Amino acid sequence: MAYQSLRLEYLQIPPVSRAYTTACVLTTAAVQLELITPFQLYFNPELIFKHFQIWRLITNFLFFGPVGFNFLFNMIFLYRYCRMLEEGSFRGRTADFVFMFLFGGFLMTLFGLFVSLVFLGQAFTIMLVYVWSRRNPYVRMNFFGLLNFQAPFLPWVLMGFSLLLGNSIIVDLLGIAVGHIYFFLEDVFPNEPGGIRILKTPSILRSIFDTPDEDPNYNPLPEERPGGFAWGEGQRLGG
């Protein structure tokens, strides 16, 4: 019974969020079991472009460090905000969601050529948090029961938390920058006078990922409940 319940809950996770979260967990498990090492995964332009180790363009987004507080913290935020985006503003638009992944990954890889970052998964998580927070500006957040603020401040609060833990904030700034570029090009600029939609999902992605019919009985995770955890709980103003 427990297995069936877990299986059903796992299959309820939308496909992109399920695939990415699973890949991150399996990659970390493989490193913990010493089947692979982080040296086979990290972002290294020379190894990628001169030795054709192309897999590093993907694997550097899948490893969040050894199992511990930092890994669990990142996995929780990755799972929650990736899922809420896919079930919220990207519901029924899987191809657009995949395109956001590709666009964000491309920009981070490009910026990664100029900064000394070897793993970009945490920056990618911050990008997802940023896009969600900007699309839900009136959600009130609570961080560890200490801070109350509106959703658009969440990425900056996380950056401050990283600073308190002694981590480099370059990762957070990269995620915020890429998230802002995507949000501006997708949500802001097309609605400006004379603005146009620059980001257009390729038709090949639509043919692969988008389905014409949507299950009317599907029960999404509500975007107005980003919490479930003390550091991310929120509610809409006036609710």
Side-chain angles (χ1 to χ4, degrees):
M1 287 295 294
Y3 168 76
Q4 289 295 331
S5 298
L6 287 174
R7 181 176 177 275
L8 288 174
E9 178 62 28
Y10 177 73
L11 293 177
Q12 277 292 309
I13 303 172
V16 178
S17 300
R18 181 171 67 237
Y20 185 41
T21 305
T22 301
C24 292
V25 171
L26 290 179
T27 300
T28 300
V31 172
Q32 288 293 117
L33 295 173
E34 298 183 351
L35 300 175
I36 56 177
T37 71
F39 296 104
Q40 296 171 288
L41 307 174
Y42 75 100
F43 180 74
N44 185 313
E46 182 175 353
L47 293 177
I48 292 171
F49 298 113
K50 292 186 177 181
H51 298 274
F52 305 105
Q53 296 183 10
I54 306 299
W55 67 83
R56 293 178 183 272
L57 290 171
I58 298 175
T59 57
N60 81 90
F61 288 97
L62 303 180
F63 184 63
F64 288 79
V67 175
F69 175 78
N70 191 58
F71 170 76
L72 293 175
F73 188 84
N74 278 289
M75 282 296 97
I76 289 170
F77 270 84
L78 170 63
Y79 165 73
R80 296 294 293 182
Y81 290 95
C82 187
R83 180 173 181 174
M84 284 191 293
L85 275 175
E86 190 170 2
E87 292 182 333
S89 56
F90 284 100
R91 188 180 182 192
R93 299 168 53 217
T94 302
D96 292 337
F97 195 47
V98 172
F99 183 63
M100 186 190 76
F101 267 58
L102 296 176
F103 177 77
F106 171 77
L107 282 187
M108 288 184 188
T109 300
L110 189 63
F111 291 146
L113 297 173
F114 305 100
V115 295
S116 57
L117 294 176
V118 293
F119 291 105
L120 298 171
Q122 185 177 338
F124 195 84
T125 299
I126 294 295
M127 180 197 75
L128 296 174
V129 171
Y130 184 91
V131 174
W132 177 88
S133 69
R134 292 301 301 269
R135 288 183 171 177
N136 295 269
Y138 302 113
V139 175
R140 293 286 298 176
M141 311 295 296
N142 180 278
F143 192 78
F144 284 118
L146 299 175
L147 294 175
N148 292 290
F149 51 89
Q150 288 179 231
F153 291 101
L154 180 59
W156 304 100
V157 171
L158 293 177
M159 185 179 72
F161 186 65
S162 293
L163 192 61
L164 287 176
L165 293 178
N167 299 326
S168 171
I169 62 172
I170 294 178
V171 172
D172 300 82
L173 289 173
L174 177 59
I176 289 172
V178 173
H180 183 73
I181 291 172
Y182 176 83
F183 176 76
F184 178 80
L185 293 178
E186 179 69 14
D187 292 38
V188 178
F189 186 64
N191 298 313
E192 293 291 321
I196 59 172
R197 183 170 297 280
I198 297 175
L199 299 180
K200 296 181 180 179
T201 303
S203 57
I204 187 172
L205 292 181
R206 296 194 182 282
S207 65
I208 295 172
F209 294 104
D210 283 351
T211 55
D213 298 317
E214 191 178 67
D215 183 0
N217 298 316
Y218 184 63
N219 186 26
L221 189 71
E223 275 204 356
E224 62 267 21
R225 283 183 22 231
F229 305 94
W231 53 81
E233 203 167 82
Q235 61 181 12
R236 291 192 179 277
L237 291 177

